[in-house]
Every structure is written in structure tokens, then in C-alpha cells.
């Protein structure tokens, strides 16, 4: 039911509100009575009454709403949620990225900008930046999700064999069913074989845990260490700069972040004296439990030497630390003389007691040459973990049921790729090489370009997918940043975004030595777009320096 205003607008009312305001037969003309009202000689008089009653109705409903809101306050507010969630930050998807999304919408709506698109160089999202999916992976994923494709003669037989093996190990022969919490057995066995082939030492498939990207298993294992000892929070050593997943998770879990600085003057190398300084200081307030190593480095792009890894292992042994070896970029090695060495292999070669140390190593299908970020596939290999603790880990992950089966299958394609002589082998090798060769060219291009710009210095991108250049900012720019209530590198990044459409992540989000300013950019834009981005960067920076000198 409703009534009509004199301007023809409808106002819907309920019997309750009409009766409350005007009695059983109020003076408002209802929609049902509208025809009679038009012929009523008292219609003009009614309109006057309507206008007056609308005012009363407005006041009443406003008061009614206020009263209702007062009695219906939310039971979950910022004052009573987990305080750790409130203080945790994840810079890769922070305010800059939110603003980038807003700008994209503004461009779509026709707002004029000094650029025509947003270039998202803030995150390692390969396919979003134009990388083409590998044929073999997508064919296998297509087969396991849509069975009629097995009849397609254009799909190679080795793809079909991989898909049948996966489906055979799925309950009901469907990837729509739950897998075991640690993952599909056949895929875990393939992961173990992949590690064994890589390192030349045995790998037990029952020590493999499949997860939603590497992030899922990293968080699950970190959660094991959430235990106060001697009234001190657990501490986790992380490199500075570091991938914000670690700082965010440590904060979320109310643990203590123990930052150790990488040495920028030595290609972001890891200095053992700095590790010792860091842990000695941390022991005053926390109980150090683990050390995180990211190799190749994110955001720094360095590749650790075998000797450096040996030093880290010895340090971890001396300090009784569990090792988190984040090795998701192990295929992304570009610089001459650089080589990936797995922590597990180096530990094994060092012999006892080091070969008996506890370690978790991580891999993902999101990076490398695959770039399947959104499919969320990854694994952890657990080495030398106490059987009782491992049982607790498996119990913990069982509460999450299972990682996505599509992600597991994608990981299977990575660790069990086409072999020489199989129909898909040549195309696989060609596509894989093209991706990695192009990334190598772009890694060199980014470092070379930044080093040619006034005020920039950038270490060689030895591996991974990022550069982390240092930038010297004029004093006037630093003052302008303070007035804007922003850190200087954040101020610079926002100015860059608003003037060029380039979205980067300021070094503040990863950690940096006090008094220095950096930013992380990916090397993922395809070659022509990357050249365009770097030219925009150069032009912007020249204008920025002129404005604040």
C-alpha cells in the first residue's frame, strides 16, 4: 500500500505506519483510492494536508530510524575484534592498489587523465601482465574438469594420460570431490620425485603437503610456532626487505618479527654478523623460533651462493632455529654465474649434524615460467620434523578440508611435465624457454634503465621477478611528504600513480634501512609495454626532481 504526493511521487507505507500516524481512516490519499481522489471536490484541500503530514512523517521516520539503530548496534565492531588484524598490513594490496582500481574506473567512465591505462607493476601477477598460459597445463586442467575433451583428437595423448592419472586418484574420479587434507596422493608422489630429481637425494612423498599456493603451507607451519615460552612471544627472523606475507602473518599470529637487514652494497647479500646482531637483540623481548630465507629474493631479486647458504644453515643450527626456505622462484635465474641451490640439498651435503635439521621448503605454480597465480597451487616439503609435531600439523590443516584440487593438478603439471619423446614435449620446452628468456631480457632492461636515471641505483636482478631500486629524494619532496602525512617513498609512489598510471609498491611496505627510500616494481609487463613504462618513469622523475629541487 502507498500514497501519492501532489507531485506524483509514490511513497510506500505499511498499515502500521499509516495507522500510527493518521488512524484507521487517515487523510492521505492511498494509491487504491487515487481515482476517487481526482474527482473529489476536496482534493485541493487534501493536498495541503498531505504536504503537512509528509513533514510529520519525515520527522517520525527519522526518529524511528534513529531509535531502531540505537537498539540494533552491531555486536562486532573495531573495538572488539582481534587487535592483531587491525595492525597487520599487506602492502602489495594496500592503499596504492585501491587507488589504482579507482583510477581504472575513472578512466572507464571517461575521466581525462595524462595516461590511458593503469600499469600494475605492484604485484607478480604474470598473466595479468600479458604472459600467455602454457598449453600443456591448460590442456590437462581442461581435461580433468570437462571429461568430453578426452574425445578431442587435437589434445595430445600425454595430456590425457596425466589427466587420467589425476582423476583415478580422486574420489569418484572427479576433481569436484574433496582430496585428503595433505593433497592427492599421486600428485604428492610426483612432487617428491621432482625434488629427488632436482637434488639427487631421496624425498618421502608423505612429507609433502599440497596447499593453496605456497602461502597456505607457510601460514600453516608458522601457526605451529604460536607458543609463548618463558613469558615471551615466539619470534621469527625475516629478511629486510621481505615479502609482506611474512610480516602480515607474524602480526596476525601475534608473534614477534625479528628483522635482519640484507646488504644492498653486496647485491642484497646476507651477512652472518647482521643475523647475530638481530637475534641477540630479539632475545631480550622474544623467543626466536625460526628463520625465513627467500631465495631467489623477493623483492630484491638476489640469488644466494652455496657458501652463503652454508653459513645460514650453521647459524640456524647454533641458534636452534627452524628453517623456512621460500624457494618459489627457483626457476627464475637470469644473471650469469648465478645458480639456484636448494637448502635441503646443501644441508644434506654438509652432513651431520646439519643434515638432521628441521626445514620446510616451499614451491608454487604462481611464479617461475607458469604464472598461474589465481589457480592457487603449491607445496611444502617437511624435512626432519618430529613425527608428533607432524601429526599436529596434519590435524591442523584437516580443519581446512583440502587445498583446491585444480591448484593441485596445476602443481602436478609443473613437477611432472612432458618428457622427451612425448607429444607435448617440444611445445612445452619452446613455451617455457620463451617465457624465461624474455624475463631475462626484461630483468636486464629494468636494472639498466633505472641506473641511467638521476638519483636511482639498482642492483642487478639476478632472479625472481622484481627490482628494488633505491631512490634519492630531494629534501623539499621529503618535506612535502610530511605535510601530506605520508612516508616519502609512499608520497613518491602516489605521485607516480596519479601522473603516469604506474602502480608500484613503496619500500616502506617491505622494510628498508632508516633514511633510505626504495620501491618494488615487477619486470612482468611484456617487453614493449615495459619499455613504455620505463620511459614514463624517466619523464616523471625528471619533472619530479625539477618540481622539488
Amino acid at each position: 500500500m502507498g500514497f501519492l504526493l501532489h507531485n506524483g511521487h509514490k511513497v510506500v507505507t505499511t498499515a502500521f505506519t499509516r495507522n500510527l500516524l493518521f488512524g484507521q481512516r487517515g487523510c492521505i490519499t492511498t494509491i487504491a483510492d487515487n481515482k476517487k481522489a481526482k474527482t473529489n471536490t476536496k482534493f485541493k484541500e487534501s493536498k495541503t494536508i498531505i504536504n503537512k503530514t509528509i513533514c510529520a512523517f519525515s520527522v517520525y521516520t527519522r526518529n524511528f530510524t534513529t531509535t531502531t539503530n540505537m537498539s540494533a548496534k552491531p555486536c562486532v565492531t573495531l573495538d572488539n575484534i582481534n587487535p592483531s588484524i587491525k595492525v597487520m598490513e599487506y602492502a602489495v594490496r594496500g592503499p596504492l592498489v585501491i587507488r589504482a582500481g579507482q583510477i581504472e574506473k575513472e578512466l572507464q567512465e571517461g575521466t581525462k587523465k595524462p595516461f590511458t591505462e593503469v600499469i600494475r607493476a605492484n604485484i607478480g601477477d604474470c598473466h595479468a601482465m600479458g604472459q600467455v598460459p602454457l598449453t600443456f597445463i591448460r590442456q590437462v586442467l581442461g581435461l580433468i574438469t570437462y571429461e568430453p575433451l578426452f574425445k578431442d583428437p587435437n589434445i595430445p595423448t600425454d595430456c590425457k594420460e596425466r589427466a587420467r592419472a589425476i582423476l583415478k586418484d580422486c574420489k569418484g574420479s572427479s576433481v569436484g570431490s574433496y582430496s585428503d587434507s595433505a593433497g592427492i596422493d599421486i600428485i604428492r608422489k610426483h612432487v617428491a620425485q621432482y625434488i629427488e630429481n632436482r637434488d639427487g637425494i631421496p624425498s618421502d612423498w608423505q612429507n609433502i603437503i599440497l596447499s593453496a599456493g605456497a602461502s597456505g603451507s607457510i601460514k600453516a607451519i608458522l601457526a605451529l610456532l604460536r607458543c609463548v615460552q618463558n613469558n615471551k612471544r615466539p619470534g621469527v627472523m625475516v629478511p629486510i626487505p621481505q615479502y609482506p606475507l611474512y610480516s602480515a602473518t607474524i602480526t596476525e599470529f601475534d608473534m614477534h618479527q625479528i628483522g635482519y637487514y640484507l646488504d644492498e652494497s653486496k647485491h642484497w647479500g646476507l651477512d652472518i654478523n647482521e643475523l647475530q646482531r638481530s637475534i641477540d637483540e630479539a632475545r631480550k623481548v622474544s623467543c626466536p623460533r625460526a628463520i625465513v630465507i627467500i631465495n631467489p629474493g623477493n623483492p630484491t631479486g638476489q640469488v644466494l651462493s652455496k657458501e652463503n647458504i652454508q653459513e645460514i644453515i650453521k647459524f640456524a643450527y647454533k641458534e636452534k632455529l627452524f628453517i623456512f626456505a621460500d624457494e618459489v622462484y627457483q626457476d627464475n635465474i637470469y644473471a650469469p654465474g648465478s645458480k639456484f641451490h636448494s637448502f635441503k640439498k646443501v644441508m644434506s651435503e654438509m652432513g651431520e649434524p646439519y643434515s638432521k635439521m628441521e626445514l620446510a621448503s616451499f614451491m608454487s605454480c604462481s611464479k617461475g615460467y607458469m604464472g598461474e597465480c589465481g589457480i592457487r597451487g603449491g607445496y611444502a616439503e617437511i624435512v626432519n620434523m618430529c613425527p608428533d609435531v607432524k601429526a599436529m600439523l596434519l590435524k591442523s590443516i584437516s580443519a581446512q578440508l583440502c587445498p583446491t584440487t585444480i591448484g593441485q593438478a596445476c602443481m602436478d603439471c609443473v613437477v611432472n611435465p612432458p618428457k622427451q619423446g612425448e607429444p607435448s614435449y617440444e611445445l612445452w620446452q619452446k613455451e617455457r624457454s620463451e617465457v624465461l628468456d624474455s624475463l631475462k631480457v626484461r630483468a636486464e632492461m629494468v636494472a639498466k634503465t633505472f641506473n641511467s636515471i638521476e638519483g636511482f641505483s639498482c642492483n642487478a636482478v639476478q632472479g625472481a621477478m622484481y627490482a628494488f631500486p633505491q631512490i634519492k629524494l630531494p629534501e623539499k619532496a621529503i618535506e612535502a611528504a610530511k605535510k601530506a602525512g605520508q612516508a616519502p617513498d609512499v608520497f613518491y609512489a602516489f605521485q607516480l600513480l596519479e601522473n603516469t598510471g604506474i602502480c608500484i609498491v613503496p619500500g616502506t611496505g617491505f622494510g628498508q634501512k632508516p633514511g633510505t627510500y626504495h620501491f618494488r616494481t615487477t619486470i612482468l609487463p611484456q617487453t614493449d609495454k615495459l619499455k613504455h613504462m620505463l620511459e614514463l618513469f624517466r619523464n616523471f622523475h625528471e619533472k619530479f626532481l625539477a618540481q622539488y629541487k
Side-chain angles (χ1 to χ4, degrees):
M1 184 65 79
F3 58 81
L4 291 177
L5 303 187
H6 68 279
N7 60 3
H9 292 169
K10 294 180 180 179
V11 176
V12 177
T13 66
T14 65
F16 170 76
T17 54
R18 288 197 308 278
N19 293 340
L20 189 63
L21 281 171
F22 313 119
Q24 289 292 333
R25 295 189 61 82
C27 59
I28 289 185
T29 307
T30 64
I31 295 172
D33 296 330
N34 185 42
K35 291 183 180 179
K36 294 179 181 179
K38 286 184 178 179
T39 59
N40 196 318
T41 56
K42 295 184 178 181
F43 184 60
K44 291 183 180 180
E45 182 180 348
S46 296
K47 288 197 294 182
T48 303
I49 297 173
I50 288 170
N51 289 335
K52 291 180 180 179
T53 53
I54 290 306
C55 293
F57 184 78
S58 298
V59 172
Y60 173 80
T61 52
R62 187 163 61 246
N63 292 338
F64 182 80
T65 303
T66 302
T67 304
T68 303
N69 287 343
M70 288 176 64
S71 62
K73 287 183 178 179
C75 58
V76 180
T77 70
L78 284 176
D79 294 329
N80 61 22
I81 66 168
N82 181 347
S84 297
I85 297 293
K86 290 193 285 186
V87 296
M88 70 174 279
E89 294 182 356
Y90 186 64
V92 174
R93 292 181 179 267
L96 269 161
V97 181
I98 293 171
R99 177 59 188 145
Q102 293 170 344
I103 291 174
E104 285 178 326
K105 290 180 181 177
E106 290 169 8
L107 288 170
Q108 291 169 5
E109 292 166 357
T111 304
K112 297 298 180 184
K113 303 277 185 183
F115 49 87
T116 58
E117 66 173 334
V118 171
I119 301 175
R120 290 181 174 265
N122 61 294
I123 191 168
D125 194 351
C126 308
H127 292 182
M129 298 308 295
Q131 182 174 313
V132 178
L134 271 68
T135 303
F136 173 78
I137 291 177
R138 290 305 180 91
Q139 286 177 328
V140 172
L141 297 185
L143 286 161
I144 64 171
T145 52
Y146 188 58
E147 195 168 340
L149 289 177
F150 280 100
K151 299 177 182 177
D152 188 338
N154 296 311
I155 298 179
T157 55
D158 54 340
C159 293
K160 294 176 181 178
E161 289 168 4
R162 299 296 198 286
R164 287 191 184 97
I166 294 169
L167 291 173
K168 183 180 178 181
D169 237 31
C170 293
K171 297 175 180 65
S173 298
S174 171
V175 287
S177 60
Y178 287 127
S179 75
D180 290 344
S181 297
I184 299 169
D185 284 358
I186 188 66
I187 299 177
R188 295 169 68 196
K189 291 174 182 178
H190 288 160
V191 169
Q193 188 61 56
Y194 164 83
I195 294 171
E196 190 167 323
N197 292 341
R198 182 195 68 191
D199 294 340
I201 52 179
S203 175
D204 184 347
W205 72 270
Q206 295 188 73
N207 290 333
I208 305 298
I209 295 175
L210 302 180
S211 57
S215 306
S217 49
I218 288 170
K219 295 189 73 168
I221 298 169
L222 268 176
L224 289 175
L225 307 180
R226 294 176 65 182
C227 179
V228 173
Q229 294 182 307
N230 299 320
N231 294 318
K232 290 182 178 180
R233 290 185 298 161
V236 180
M237 300 187 73
V238 297
I240 302 296
Q242 51 89 34
Y243 175 45
L245 165 71
Y246 293 101
S247 55
T249 304
I250 289 167
T251 301
E252 180 186 355
F253 290 174
D254 194 27
M255 301 167 86
H256 179 229
Q257 177 178 312
I258 307 170
Y260 61 88
Y261 289 108
L262 301 179
D263 191 343
E264 187 171 8
S265 67
K266 296 180 179 178
H267 299 284
W268 298 111
L270 201 161
D271 181 67
I272 299 302
N273 291 328
E274 170 59 16
L275 287 180
Q276 195 63 56
R277 178 208 64 79
S278 175
I279 198 168
D280 289 345
E281 187 175 305
R283 287 196 188 281
K284 300 173 185 176
V285 295
S286 68
C287 181
R289 303 292 307 279
I291 182 170
V292 173
I293 312 294
I294 308 174
N295 180 47
N298 176 10
T300 49
Q302 90 282 10
V303 178
L304 295 178
S305 68
K306 185 176 182 179
E307 292 72 26
N308 208 178
I309 293 173
Q310 289 171 338
E311 290 177 324
I312 296 164
I313 291 170
K314 290 177 181 178
F315 170 83
Y317 175 79
K318 178 173 72 75
E319 301 293 345
K320 295 180 171 56
L321 299 173
F322 188 102
I323 296 176
F324 283 72
D326 186 332
E327 299 174 338
V328 301
Y329 297 98
Q330 58 190 261
D331 289 303
N332 300 102
I333 310 292
Y334 316 121
S338 294
K339 183 180 179 181
F340 170 74
H341 301 277
S342 78
F343 265 76
K344 179 186 177 183
K345 182 177 182 179
V346 175
M347 273 176 39
S348 176
E349 291 174 344
M350 290 172 70
E352 294 190 24
Y354 308 110
S355 59
K356 299 298 183 181
M357 291 175 63
E358 296 150 287
L359 162 78
S361 65
F362 306 94
M363 179 57 171
S364 168
C365 67
S366 300
K367 309 304 177 184
Y369 50 88
M370 307 77 71
E372 296 282 7
C373 302
I375 288 180
R376 310 307 299 139
Y379 74 71
E381 182 185 25
I382 313 301
V383 180
N384 296 326
M385 180 177 278
C386 166
D388 293 337
V389 175
K390 181 181 169 184
M392 293 298 103
L393 173 62
L394 294 174
K395 179 179 73 171
S396 172
I397 64 174
S398 70
Q400 302 174 43
L401 297 180
C402 73
T404 163
T405 53
I406 305 300
Q408 294 183 54
C410 186
M411 199 71 245
D412 188 72
C413 294
V414 175
V415 300
N416 186 29
K419 297 176 177 61
Q420 191 165 9
E422 292 184 326
S424 299
Y425 178 76
E426 288 187 8
L427 181 58
W428 167 268
Q429 286 293 101
K430 177 178 178 293
E431 291 178 341
R432 181 182 183 278
S433 297
E434 285 175 350
V435 171
L436 293 175
D437 290 347
S438 177
L439 285 169
K440 180 179 180 180
V441 169
R442 285 176 270 165
E444 294 171 354
M445 182 193 305
V446 166
K448 183 177 180 181
T449 302
F450 282 136
N451 283 323
S452 70
I453 300 175
E454 181 183 355
F456 278 67
S457 61
C458 183
N459 278 317
V461 181
Q462 297 175 331
M465 295 177 171
Y466 316 96
F468 197 68
Q470 183 175 165
I471 179 173
K472 304 291 184 183
L473 294 175
E475 193 60 39
K476 287 185 178 179
I478 295 173
E479 288 299 319
K482 289 179 181 177
K483 290 179 182 178
Q486 295 175 325
D489 53 354
V490 174
F491 176 78
Y492 183 89
F494 267 106
Q495 294 293 314
L496 177 72
L497 175 62
E498 297 290 349
N499 287 277
T500 67
I502 300 172
C503 184
I504 56 173
V505 186
T508 301
F510 299 92
Q512 55 196 346
K513 282 192 173 181
T516 67
Y517 307 110
H518 300 77
F519 61 85
R520 187 189 81 167
T521 179
T522 71
I523 63 171
L524 293 177
Q526 298 303 296
T527 304
D528 288 343
K529 182 167 283 189
L530 184 60
K531 288 178 181 177
H532 173 63
M533 184 190 93
L534 293 172
E535 191 59 32
L536 287 175
F537 226 122
R538 183 191 299 277
N539 293 338
F540 165 79
H541 187 68
E542 290 173 354
K543 293 176 182 177
F544 184 88
L545 289 181
Q547 180 179 355
Y548 290 103
K549 269 190 175 179

